Amino acid sequence: SVAKTSVTLGGNVTSIGGANITITERGVCYSTQTDPAVGQGTCTKDNTTGLGEFTLDITQLTEDTTYYVKAYAISSLNARAYGEQVVFTTTGVPTVTTAAIENLTSASATVGGEVTANGGLDVTARGVCWSNTPDPLIDTATCTTDGTGIGVFTHSLTGLTYHTSYYVKAYATNENGTGYGAEVSFVTTLLPGDVDGDGDVDLTDAIIVLQVLTGTDPGVPVYVEAATNGDGKLGVEDVIFILRKVLGL
């Protein structure tokens, strides 16, 4: 029985090694290195002696870690014998990576991630957590649910606010808890033509573009990234686009 920080180990002493010999100690030795032995690793002694099977509950292990184990027995002649080495890995939380942001607009973005390891237990939920503040977590942010198990997943976030910073982390959950990917941030774009960044495309935007083109200071911040052709340069085509938008054409 292997858990996050504990395991049940044991052995079976099948021979005492000769007449008038007794088994004075038996137990298990374990380590994160191969070939554990008495004096080379951590050894736990069973409360009983003699022939037969025994089990021991080992605690305070490190999660998601591989251990090597050997049962041992010591005779009244101080001779030591070991069983075959066995290997186990404690469970942990899943391992997940956060995907790069794709298809970014003023109100949406495609996010996602990949669960690369399940931590030794079934992944029961996976998705992304997102927020306007850093370090989004399940308890503190809005989170999506995008299936279960190991693998790649994506999700389309919609209804976002224009020209706003967002922070995203992929997550995956198993019985032991939740693992998170690295944080990724992005800023939603401005609406095309919204050169004053107020969230509306109106006559004011057209006037600002004309002022920029004629060398007049608009007196307000100008967001050239709202240029309608996406080149970051304002031109007559932006005035035409804005006017058509205002007129509903």
Side-chain angles (χ1 to χ4, degrees):
S1 176
V2 181
K4 186 177 182 180
T5 58
S6 64
V7 66
T8 299
L9 302 173
N12 185 13
V13 182
T14 58
S15 174
I16 59 176
N20 301 319
I21 298 175
T22 59
I23 301 300
T24 58
E25 181 179 322
R26 62 186 189 177
V28 294
C29 294
Y30 57 95
S31 173
T32 56
Q33 305 297 318
T34 59
D35 294 324
V38 175
Q40 299 178 33
T42 301
C43 296
T44 301
K45 181 173 65 174
D46 185 35
N47 290 328
T48 62
T49 59
L51 295 173
E53 297 182 356
F54 63 93
T55 60
L56 292 165
D57 292 325
I58 308 299
T59 60
Q60 296 183 329
L61 302 177
T62 302
E63 66 178 84
D64 201 17
T65 300
T66 297
Y67 288 88
Y68 302 86
V69 183
K70 286 184 180 180
Y72 75 91
I74 301 176
S75 75
S76 54
L77 297 179
N78 202 32
R80 298 173 185 173
Y82 295 92
E84 292 185 3
Q85 178 175 274
V86 297
V87 182
F88 72 92
T89 301
T90 51
T91 61
V93 298
T95 302
V96 59
T97 59
T98 306
I101 306 301
E102 297 182 345
N103 305 319
L104 181 62
T105 73
S106 61
S108 64
T110 299
V111 297
E114 180 179 6
V115 182
T116 57
N118 63 9
L121 298 167
D122 290 341
V123 175
T124 55
R126 65 186 190 184
V128 296
C129 294
W130 55 281
S131 174
N132 296 124
T133 56
D135 198 24
L137 304 175
I138 285 180
D139 295 335
T140 61
T142 302
C143 299
T144 70
T145 300
D146 302 296
T148 60
I150 290 176
V152 176
F153 59 91
T154 61
H155 191 99
S156 179
L157 299 180
T158 59
L160 304 179
T161 303
Y162 71 94
H163 206 225
T164 300
S165 295
Y166 289 92
Y167 302 86
V168 177
K169 283 185 180 181
Y171 78 89
T173 300
N174 66 13
E175 185 180 321
N176 283 336
T178 300
Y180 294 91
E183 181 176 277
V184 175
S185 63
F186 66 92
V187 179
T188 48
T189 63
L190 287 164
L191 296 171
D194 181 22
V195 295
D196 63 358
D198 67 354
D200 293 316
V201 179
D202 51 27
L203 284 175
T204 300
D205 295 300
I207 293 171
I208 290 173
V209 175
L210 289 172
Q211 289 174 322
V212 170
L213 293 178
T214 58
T216 303
D217 182 6
V220 296
V222 178
Y223 296 94
V224 295
E225 58 266 38
T228 56
N229 61 5
D231 67 355
K233 298 179 181 179
L234 298 177
V236 175
E237 66 274 15
D238 295 296
V239 178
I240 296 172
F241 175 89
I242 294 169
L243 292 177
R244 289 178 62 86
K245 190 81 170 177
V246 170
L247 295 173
L249 300 177

